[in-house]
């Protein structure tokens, strides 16, 4: 049967039979891949530990009838152990891979793969606050999928900003005339922090006040979950999660 090789990040796994697993991956060149890893639950497995969630591996697969089969796996990034040691990193990573798993095939691009790998690497190394890494990942992933939030001009009518209302359903900040009753009010510090999270301006992100960080996190969660059309379950367990705006609970 035809074989192929690719770099993958493991999103989730499911037990299959007594010794096998179904592994769902985001690959660099082939989008999302679901494949069977035979015998990986046995203690004698050669590469079982390399196919756990948050791990990055170079795998060789051959094409099966319904699911591909993983023949070989070489570790490229062993991030799982460092992430699992810290609850905040683990919950953030869980939300990231859950988001990546929601991508449709057209959105599962090499750029999405590299974004996720970079986010998991930053979490494992503790480069920044786990929630900030998660927020940056969610905003960038949405932007790559064509859902970048409008943070300057009104997302509905185009009126030049700045504006003080944020509505996830309308695509970002909106002017007073376009804002429905009960819209979330945002200040300039929070809007600026959202822009820095998208741009990767980590000096600004790391220096943000707790109030701005909490407000931005709530807006990011609301925006991502609205456009994914259902909640991100792992977000419920993220440490220090602020009370989300109403849009996040729809």
């Amino acid at each position: 049967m035809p074989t192929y090789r690719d770099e993958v990040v493991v999103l989730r796994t499911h037990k299959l039979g007594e010794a096998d697993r179904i592994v769902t991956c985001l690959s660099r060149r082939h989008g999302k891949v679901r494949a069977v890893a035979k015998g990986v639950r046995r203690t004698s497995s050669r590469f079982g530990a390399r196919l756990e969630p948050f791990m990055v591996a170079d795998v060789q697969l051959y094409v099966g009838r319904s699911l591909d089969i993983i023949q070989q796996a070489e570790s490229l990034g062993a991030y799982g152990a460092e992430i699992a040691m810290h609850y905040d990193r683990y919950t953030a990573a869980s939300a990231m891979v859950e988001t990546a798993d929601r991508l449709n095939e057209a959105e599962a691009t090499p750029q999405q793969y590299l974004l996720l790998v970079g986010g998991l690497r930053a979490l494992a190394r503790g480069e920044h606050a786990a929630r900030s890494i998660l927020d940056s990942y969610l905003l960038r992933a949405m932007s790559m999928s064509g859902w970048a939030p409008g943070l300057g001009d009104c997302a509905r009518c185009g009126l030049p900003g700045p504006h003080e209302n944020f509505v996830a359903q309308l695509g970002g900040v909106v002017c007073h005339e376009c804002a429905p009753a009960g819209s979330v009010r945002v200040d300039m510090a929070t809007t600026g922090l959202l822009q820095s999270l998208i741009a990767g301006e980590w000096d600004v992100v790391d220096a943000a006040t707790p109030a701005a960080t909490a407000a931005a996190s709530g807006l990011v969660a609301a925006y991502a979950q609205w456009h994914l059309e259902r909640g991100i379950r792992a977000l419920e367990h993220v440490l220090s999660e602020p009370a989300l705006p109403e849009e996040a609970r729809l």
Side-chain angles (χ1 to χ4, degrees):
M1 292 186 180
T3 63
Y4 63 97
R5 200 173 192 95
D6 205 346
E7 298 174 14
V8 303
V9 55
V10 179
L11 305 180
R12 57 188 172 93
T13 63
H14 295 289
K15 293 179 181 179
L16 179 65
E18 295 184 357
D20 305 340
R21 277 201 182 104
I22 296 176
V23 182
T24 301
C25 309
L26 180 63
S27 72
R28 185 165 189 162
R29 295 183 295 274
H30 294 84
K32 284 196 298 183
V33 175
R34 295 182 73 240
V36 176
K38 293 184 176 293
V40 294
R41 290 162 55 201
R42 297 192 182 101
T43 56
S44 59
S45 171
R46 293 174 300 165
F47 52 79
R50 303 168 193 168
L51 297 174
E52 295 292 337
F54 318 138
M55 304 294 278
V56 182
D58 181 348
V59 297
Q60 179 173 303
L61 309 97
Y62 72 81
V63 179
R65 291 184 178 179
S66 57
L67 296 173
D68 295 346
I69 308 296
I70 297 176
Q71 296 178 305
Q72 298 177 6
E74 298 295 334
S75 178
L76 295 177
Y79 306 132
E82 286 297 324
I83 289 174
M85 289 175 59
H86 304 270
Y87 185 76
D88 58 339
R89 299 182 191 180
Y90 178 80
T91 52
S94 297
M96 289 164 62
V97 297
E98 184 179 347
T99 300
D101 196 22
R102 300 278 182 84
L103 300 173
N104 61 45
E105 289 303 326
E107 296 171 324
T109 62
Q111 291 74 25
Q112 290 282 7
Y113 165 84
L114 293 172
L115 175 66
L116 180 58
V117 171
L120 294 175
R121 183 188 301 118
L123 282 175
R125 295 175 178 175
E127 294 179 359
H128 310 283
R131 188 61 195 266
S132 294
I133 294 173
L134 170 60
D135 289 341
S136 180
Y137 170 79
L138 291 174
L139 286 172
R140 293 185 187 189
M142 293 295 102
S143 298
M144 287 181 180
S145 297
W147 298 106
L151 299 173
D153 299 341
C154 176
R156 185 178 185 186
C157 71
L159 183 70
H163 302 294
E164 297 182 345
N165 297 282
F166 187 97
V167 184
Q169 302 96 315
L170 298 180
V173 297
V174 294
C175 66
H176 179 72
E177 294 298 323
C178 294
S183 300
V184 177
R185 298 291 295 273
V186 294
D187 56 28
M188 293 300 298
T190 302
T191 303
L193 178 55
L194 291 172
Q195 293 170 332
S196 294
L197 285 166
I198 294 176
E201 298 171 345
W202 288 105
D203 55 336
V204 176
V205 174
D206 293 340
T209 65
T213 299
S217 291
L219 295 175
V220 171
Y223 189 81
Q225 294 185 109
W226 172 261
H227 287 292
L228 289 172
E229 298 183 350
R230 54 178 173 169
I232 301 171
R233 290 176 297 175
L235 274 181
E236 299 175 5
H237 306 290
V238 174
L239 279 178
S240 303
E241 183 179 14
L244 298 181
E246 186 174 355
E247 299 103 305
R249 301 191 293 269
L250 296 178

